[in-house]
Amino acid sequence: AERSLDIHTWQAGVSQTWTPHLTTQLTWLGQVLHGFQSNPYRAVRIGKTAAQEHEPTDRARYGLRLAARYWVTPLSAALGVEGRVYRDTWGITALAGEISYDQRLFGEVRLRLRGRYYTQTDAAFYSDDYVLAPSGRYFTGDRELSSMQSVLFGLGVHWEVPAGASGRVLGLLERFVLALKADLLKTYFDNFHYDRAQVPNTLAQVLTLELRAGF
């Protein structure tokens, strides 16, 4: 069987340079989804039976992001802060804040540190008590639609030879990017449980190696 999903996305943004050291950016993102949005592989226990989760076929969501970066000349570093707010027609409201620090080490090599906090509310139809008291037209077993918070800490080393730079990398590459990033993510779930057990594996360690080259 096939189920369709239509996605329409709009985005607008404006960037402003206030001083030679300070820039800001305001971005708005809107999205409308129509079609099958349930997970066909996820079931929900209703009484003594298991039923495939059933989510609304329509969802509109939008978000607003405000970011600022400040260049610290004595340190050859940049300090960044940003805040994001999100809302959708499923009843989820989310807030996120991030702070980052980019330090130039030597040449085109820089070190990046960042920290982020995220929190969201339940979807309007989310519940984890279907076994005891099933109710409502929609039901889901998606823990990412429950209320949750997460904290992230990241460290990365980035080397880039931009296009148009004098000379070539290895004699033939016009542009070269090499980055190694490590992130530690801890997630907290308020209302999601596996029966009486808490959610396992809420700590994630992500290691990313990025390599890009242009001839």
Side-chain angles (χ1 to χ4, degrees), residues 146-166:
S146 69
S147 59
M148 56 180 287
Q149 298 84 41
S150 67
V151 180
L152 179 144
F153 298 99
L155 169 67
V157 179
H158 189 276
W159 176 41
E160 177 177 2
V161 179
S166 59

Side-chain angles (χ1 to χ4, degrees), residues 72-169:
V72 184
T73 303
L75 299 177
S76 295
L79 179 65
V81 293
E82 72 172 70
R84 285 171 286 176
V85 59
Y86 167 91
R87 177 71 178 174
D88 66 24
T89 53
W90 286 7
I92 296 178
T93 299
L95 299 172
E98 181 171 324
I99 183 169
S100 62
Y101 178 80
D102 289 85
Q103 175 67 58
R104 178 174 293 176
L105 300 178
F106 52 87
E108 300 299 332
V109 179
R110 59 184 174 87
L111 174 70
R112 188 169 197 264
L113 304 172
R114 66 175 181 137
R116 185 186 69 197
Y117 175 75
Y118 173 85
T119 182
Q120 75 172 41
T121 61
D122 294 322
F125 53 88
Y126 173 79
S127 176
D128 66 350
D129 61 354
Y130 300 110
V131 174
L132 300 177
S135 63
R137 177 181 178 185
Y138 303 110
F139 39 87
T140 179
D142 189 352
R143 65 184 186 183
E144 295 183 1
L145 294 180
S146 69
S147 59
M148 56 180 287
Q149 298 84 41
S150 67
V151 180
L152 179 144
F153 298 99
L155 169 67
V157 179
H158 189 276
W159 176 41
E160 177 177 2
V161 179
S166 59
R168 290 172 177 258
V169 179

Side-chain angles (χ1 to χ4, degrees), residues 3 71 186 196:
R3 300 289 186 270
W71 177 254
K186 176 64 176 178
R196 297 182 180 180

